[in-house]
Amino acid sequence: MKVLITGGAGFIGSNFVHTMLEKHASDQFVIVDKLTYAGNLRNLDGAVQNSRVQFVRMDIGDPAVVELARGCDAVVHFAAESHVDRSIEDASPFLRTNVEGTWRLVEACRSARVGRFIHVSTDEVYGSVAPDERSTELSPLAPTSPYAASKAASDIFVQSAVRTYGLPAIITRCTNNYGPFQFPEKFIPLMISQALAGQPLPIYGDGRNVRDWIHVSDHCMALDLILRKGKDGEIYNVGGGCELENIVIAKKILTTLGKSEDLLHFVSDRPAHDRRYALDCTKLKNDLDWTPASEFDAGLAGTVRWYQENKAWLDETRSGEYRKYFERHYTRREETLAMSGRIAVK
Ligand code: NAD
Ligand code: DAU
């Protein structure tokens, strides 16, 4: 099989590339990545040197993508702007990449007659879920943040291509991933890196928002299964089955690193912060016999260890543009939130 992977230099994409290279010894991979702030070629160390891998730095919206898609059996589409807080600050790149970029990629796949298109989406498209509920693949889409809205829009565009043009596409909606190579703007690597530096851990609101956590290796295995055995036109929820409040995770990280809970620092909440995400993954279990293998405490301990052992990677990602981002969102948080409010509220 020859697979085109978009966003392969990001967190989940790079984990997917490493997993696929190991698992499928005769498959070939074309990786397309624009290398935004979130993309890092270091994530692909050992993979880009492999003769079965071709890496191309390119925007998914570039018309030349069709040449790369030609001859590929499948596309696994990870490329996206992926951080909610950045989407609140400026939604434009989210519209460009997540919506328009996805549509351009769909057109390229149609033109190149690619036989399978996996659109990697998120549980955030369902919006916040009440304490006793779970979103199924049939639940209505109710995105809250500009990021979630852009992913929901891209899902609907992909579905329109399935219906209108017979695009052989599958949509996956996964819960919060954690594991190696995650950019430290996201909750778990941010908490780990702050704790390692002996700096405050910024907890939004009361810290009791709930996410369902899945180790990235489990997500990659589910995607591989869906790529090979999933049914065209279907949507599959992918969940870790591990719901936790943010504050519980932050405390676990401090305990793992032997740091004091005095480092916990409650800060102003994210605007429109979804209280809880929770998926019903019965369909994936029943149709493809998939369940996650990782246990959270062991997965978290391994993740903490990875960041400790990859200090150079962490120092590099936390320099440059990241410092400015951190300054805006944490050091000058009130000012930045007020600016978002001024734009959003009339
Ligand atoms: P990430 O931000 O770590 O990586 C995104 C990658 O896409 C980067 O390498 C970046 O350079 C690349 N990219 C961005 N814009 C591009 C463009 N226009 N053209 C080509 N490449 C571009 O994201 P992630 O956390 O690895 O998420 C990957 C996908 O999985 C996203 O679609 C996201 O919505 C989805 N997802 C993520 C999670 C999660 O918990 N991280 C959960 C569910 C779904
Ligand atoms: O649910 C899947 C989604 O998970 C993916 O689609 C997104 O790409 C990914 O970014 C993630 O979105 P979240 O908003 O859930 O993840 P994030 O890591 O930003 O935040 C997780 C929780 O932690 C959330 O309730 C907000 C909170 N948080 C986050 C940060 C960055 C804090 O309390 N403090 C922080 O500094």
Side-chain angles (χ1 to χ4, degrees), residues 6-14 32-40 43 58-61 77-83 96-98 101 119-123 147 151 172-178 181-183 185-186 213-214 219:
T6 74
F11 163 47
I12 307 174
S14 59
V32 176
D33 198 298
K34 185 179 174 180
L35 296 181
T36 66
Y37 78 92
N40 186 346
N43 299 357
M58 192 180 278
D59 191 304
I60 49 165
H77 175 35
F78 294 97
E81 290 292 337
S82 68
H83 193 39
R96 261 196 313 275
T97 289
N98 301 3
H119 177 60
V120 182
S121 190
T122 166
D123 61 355
Y147 160 70
K151 292 297 289 188
T172 62
R173 295 186 178 140
C174 189
T175 59
N176 285 60
N177 286 223
Y178 69 98
F181 300 117
Q182 187 167 29
F183 193 80
E185 66 188 351
K186 304 286 166 56
W213 294 93
I214 181 170
H219 187 190

Side-chain angles (χ1 to χ4, degrees), residues 151-278:
K151 292 297 289 188
S154 66
D155 285 17
I156 294 171
F157 270 108
V158 169
Q159 282 178 299
S160 81
V162 170
R163 295 197 186 110
T164 310
Y165 308 113
L167 182 80
I170 296 173
I171 296 172
T172 62
R173 295 186 178 140
C174 189
T175 59
N176 285 60
N177 286 223
Y178 69 98
F181 300 117
Q182 187 167 29
F183 193 80
E185 66 188 351
K186 304 286 166 56
F187 183 67
I188 287 185
L190 179 69
M191 297 298 120
I192 295 172
S193 52
Q194 289 293 102
L196 283 172
Q199 301 285 324
L201 276 58
I203 309 294
Y204 296 169
D206 64 2
R208 302 201 56 195
N209 298 64
V210 171
R211 298 292 184 264
D212 170 15
W213 294 93
I214 181 170
H215 194 274
V216 65
S217 58
D218 280 326
H219 187 190
C220 291
M221 295 307 264
L223 286 171
D224 184 38
L225 185 64
I226 291 166
L227 170 65
R228 283 151 217 278
K229 305 224 167 105
K231 210 168 131 211
D232 286 344
E234 295 293 331
I235 298 172
Y236 297 98
N237 284 346
V238 185
C242 175
E243 285 185 44
L244 288 170
E245 291 181 350
N246 297 333
I247 189 69
V248 172
I249 297 179
K251 286 182 181 174
K252 279 179 190 282
I253 290 168
L254 289 172
T255 306
T256 306
L257 288 170
K259 302 276 182 172
S260 161
E261 288 190 8
D262 291 347
L263 284 176
L264 294 172
H265 181 53
F266 290 88
V267 301
S268 298
D269 211 350
R270 170 186 280 176
H273 191 179
D274 284 333
R275 194 65 173 167
R276 174 173 175 257
Y277 299 135

